[in-house]
Amino acid sequence: MPRISHLLSSLSSALGPASARLEFKWMKQAAEQSDKGTSLVEMVERRLCGEPLQYIIGTQPFGSLELLVRPPTLIPRPETEDWTLRLAELVDPSPDRPISLLDMCTGSGCIPLLLCHTWRPGSVNAYGVDISADAIKLARDNAERCGIHVPTVTYGHSSSSFNTFKPLLGNIRDASFIHSLKLKPPFNVITSNPPYITRREFKDLPPSVRDYEDHRALLGDPDISEDELSSHLDKGLTFYRIIARLIANQGILADDGIVALEIGSTQANDVGRIMQREGRLNRIDVWKDPWDKDRVVLARR
């Protein structure tokens, strides 16, 4: 297969021999299993154009799950997987004391789905909100793929023999989304991997991220102008302030609840202050990821 040999050589030049061999193996397996007639040649050509491998293959491991991924919804990252599993160990709901969970900017649904899969059946009712219809469709498809029950209606917190996850299309920048989606706070756990990349950082992202993944899931200050890029306003903190105000003003967090927010590696101090001053949460912890970078602000009353 001379064409494949040439493509593999090109892939090696682009990625290095070791990565090229591994990715080629995965693409070959995906092509053999594809029900869409996608050829290996097409997959390699897409990869050479810079498209993320996960979009080409169509799946991404996340903890014990194998999630569907589709452009432009954000691809789940290993650092998000790491802190989700830590949270699953920290919080221990039971069928006798079930909890409710709200995941804002849910994307593929990776965070609540892994928690639903890890915690005991009947211990959590989870909701995921996102502004992207593509993301909500993907989250719903992932719930079906993972065997997590999706209720047909939004309902109050109730006990059952299984965990549930309800993906909902909504804009968390509009505080009325709580009412319009018929959500019933307070929630025992609030999670979010919100947009937090600054525009300066965005310009330096790899093309595989910048050109393929949804900008709305990346840019932390979406309304900032070009003239403000060099100012203190470009810090990627908009969505943390939104979440803090929802907690303080909308009563969405239970008195003994916990908030887990993924952050950029330089944002821990700023996000901690926002949660304290604007969210009125006085217990702040910072978790590092496996690469020793600040990755999560954990906030409680």
Side-chain angles (χ1 to χ4, degrees), residues 143-177:
E144 180 179 352
R145 178 184 177 90
C146 298
I148 305 299
H149 178 67
V150 179
T152 56
V153 296
T154 305
Y155 57 90
H157 316 318
S158 61
S159 60
S160 66
S161 59
F162 42 78
N163 294 333
T164 66
F165 171 57
K166 179 73 172 176
L168 297 164
L169 184 65
N171 184 359
I172 69 167
R173 302 185 73 182
D174 179 358
S176 67
F177 86 92

Side-chain angles (χ1 to χ4, degrees), residues 48-63:
L48 288 171
C49 289
E51 186 172 351
L53 176 68
Q54 295 90 335
Y55 285 158
I56 297 169
I57 292 176
T59 59
Q60 167 69 15
F62 194 77

